[in-house]
Amino acid sequence: MGGTAVVVGGGIGGLAAAIGLHRTGWDVQVLERAGTLADAGAGISLHANGLRALDALGVGPAVRAASRPQYTGGTRTPEGSWLSRMDGAALERALGTPIVGIRRSVLHGLLRAALPAGCLRTGVTVTGLDRTAPDRVGVPVGDGMLDADLVVAADGVGSRLRGLLFPGGAGPVYAGSTVLRAITERPVRLRCDFELTWGGGAEFGHIAFSDGRAEWHAVLTAPAGVRHADPLGMLHRRFGGWHDPIPHLLDATRPQAVLHHDIHELATPLRSFVAGRVALLGDAAHAMTPNLGQGACQALEDAATLAAALAHEPSVASALARYDAERRPRSQAVARAARQAGRMGQRLSHPLAVALRNTGLRLAPSRVTMRAILRHADWTPPALG
């Protein structure tokens, strides 16, 4: 099956969906609201399920070549003692690949490069859809209308299209945490590829990149909308007494490089990822907290699954029904697990609760940690061809 498709949103999920559709014979246009592609964002970890989805889409090798494998790391206390360690080599034996770290800008660039020239249009805001025809969807663009056999709504956690498709439905809510992140200005010496450190109501983590620099993030329990005149100075005061390399990472960061975003999620699951000939994908469908590092991976799974369904099913309607049946239960289960992980991790603040959590992690056998990762990362994409 082939046809014309419009993807609304040029993020990771939207670009991946467009790649999958293009590879299976669809004429695709991606409409991105941003006027320029500034490649905002810091870094990202990709688990085996995300990498396998990228393999199915044909861009896995390029992403791996630009990434740094995460073989060493784990979770620590602010004083530096280990709560649990990550065995990346064991994960690679179990899944065929380690977790990898990559800059978001690099990943975006690789996804864009896999699309034909002219496929991506920037500076286009989609505020509505014309769904009056049974076999077409109209997408208003400027003074004109794009007619499509399929629309993919990949317009993020604050999706306008989701609100149009499910009026009165629950939208995104503040998850209770805010995150500041940046990429260091220069290479830094790190003992581990990946680390998380949990304190009371706070988390600090880093991802090492192949060029020697690193992404770091700080998650804080805080009211929504709180901002700081000097974010980096606040972080120095908040985390300056935590173990190395945390102060070193902050020292290697330019103040203007720090990004600050509140974390929102779809706490009330959608009853469907499909409305007529429109499919919701990525954060528009299942925005989740970042505690499992699965947000982008689930969007990549969406993209591969949607493309495969459209390649094999006899109609758009049956393909979208298959997509919804395969993706909604899994992605919503991962979202629930991510929310619970946050409650047991950074969101804990009472000293007794933190102490009990830390003791439990130290006593847990390594195979328990491995099973927790495999539960979400061990996913096999459907074949596109």
Side-chain angles (χ1 to χ4, degrees):
M1 189 201 324
T4 58
V6 172
V7 178
V8 181
I12 291 172
L15 293 173
I19 292 169
L21 292 170
H22 173 66
R23 286 176 61 87
T24 52
W26 287 72
D27 180 14
V28 187
Q29 290 194 54
V30 181
L31 306 181
E32 167 56 39
R33 181 176 58 183
T36 58
L37 297 173
D39 288 323
I44 188 171
S45 291
L46 293 173
H47 292 249
N49 54 320
L51 290 167
R52 289 173 178 175
L54 289 166
D55 287 336
L57 297 171
V59 291
V63 171
R64 285 185 174 85
S67 303
R68 173 168 166 167
Q70 295 176 1
Y71 286 114
T72 59
T75 305
R76 305 170 76 178
T77 68
E79 296 75 30
S81 63
W82 289 100
L83 298 174
S84 64
R85 290 181 183 267
M86 179 185 71
D87 188 342
L91 279 174
E92 185 173 31
R93 289 192 296 271
L95 296 170
T97 178
I99 302 170
V100 302
I102 187 171
R103 293 181 62 179
R104 279 184 178 269
S105 61
V106 173
L107 178 58
H108 276 245
L110 292 171
L111 294 176
R112 292 198 301 268
L115 290 171
C119 174
L120 174 62
R121 296 173 59 181
T122 59
V124 180
T125 298
V126 177
T127 59
L129 297 173
D130 181 354
R131 301 169 59 219
T132 55
D135 59 347
R136 304 285 287 173
V137 180
V139 183
V141 175
D143 296 329
M145 182 79 71
L146 294 176
D147 285 326
D149 299 299
L150 169 72
V151 170
V152 179
D155 51 341
V157 60
S159 171
R160 295 183 181 184
L161 297 187
R162 182 183 60 230
L164 293 174
L165 298 171
F166 299 100
V173 299
Y174 181 54
S177 300
T178 192
V179 58
L180 297 94
R181 54 166 59 92
I183 296 175
T184 60
E185 183 179 17
R186 59 180 183 272
V188 289
R189 284 193 172 187
L190 299 170
R191 291 175 294 179
C192 297
D193 302 316
F194 167 84
E195 277 187 1
L196 288 180
T197 300
W198 283 341
E203 171 185 300
F204 197 100
H206 78 253
I207 300 168
F209 295 141
S210 56
D211 65 359
R213 294 192 292 171
E215 184 261 10
W216 57 259
H217 71 266
V219 186
L220 300 169
T221 302
V226 173
R227 294 296 182 268
H228 305 273
D230 179 11
L232 191 59
M234 179 275 294
L235 293 170
H236 274 291
R237 293 188 295 273
R238 181 66 177 80
F239 295 99
W242 287 29
H243 65 80
D244 289 331
I246 292 173
H248 180 51
L249 289 165
L250 295 175
D251 287 340
T253 302
R254 293 182 297 113
Q256 57 268 38
V258 179
L259 306 173
H260 189 176
H261 299 100
D262 290 341
I263 297 172
H264 291 81
E265 62 170 333
L266 283 181
T268 302
L270 293 177
R271 63 180 184 273
S272 177
F273 286 178
V274 171
R277 286 176 170 259
V278 184
L280 291 163
L281 183 145
D283 282 349
H286 47 68
M288 62 189 69
T289 63
N291 303 95
L292 294 177
Q294 277 288 332
C297 292
Q298 291 302 304
L300 293 169
E301 286 189 21
D302 291 346
T305 302
L306 177 63
L310 288 162
H312 295 292
E313 291 293 324
S315 68
V316 171
S318 62
L320 294 189
R322 171 175 162 179
Y323 167 74
D324 181 62
E326 292 184 6
R327 291 303 307 144
R328 187 158 46 90
R330 172 167 164 79
S331 61
Q332 291 177 347
V334 173
R336 289 192 299 272
R339 187 180 308 120
Q340 183 60 31
R343 290 170 180 164
M344 296 303 294
Q346 165 260 325
R347 294 294 303 278
L348 279 186
S349 58
H350 192 283
L352 179 58
V354 170
L356 289 172
R357 188 267 320 277
N358 290 356
T359 300
L361 284 173
R362 288 191 177 102
L363 294 176
S366 60
R367 64 179 180 275
V368 173
T369 303
M370 178 73 73
R371 281 201 302 266
I373 297 174
L374 294 177
R375 183 178 303 121
H376 308 300
D378 193 8
W379 173 84
T380 301
L384 268 63

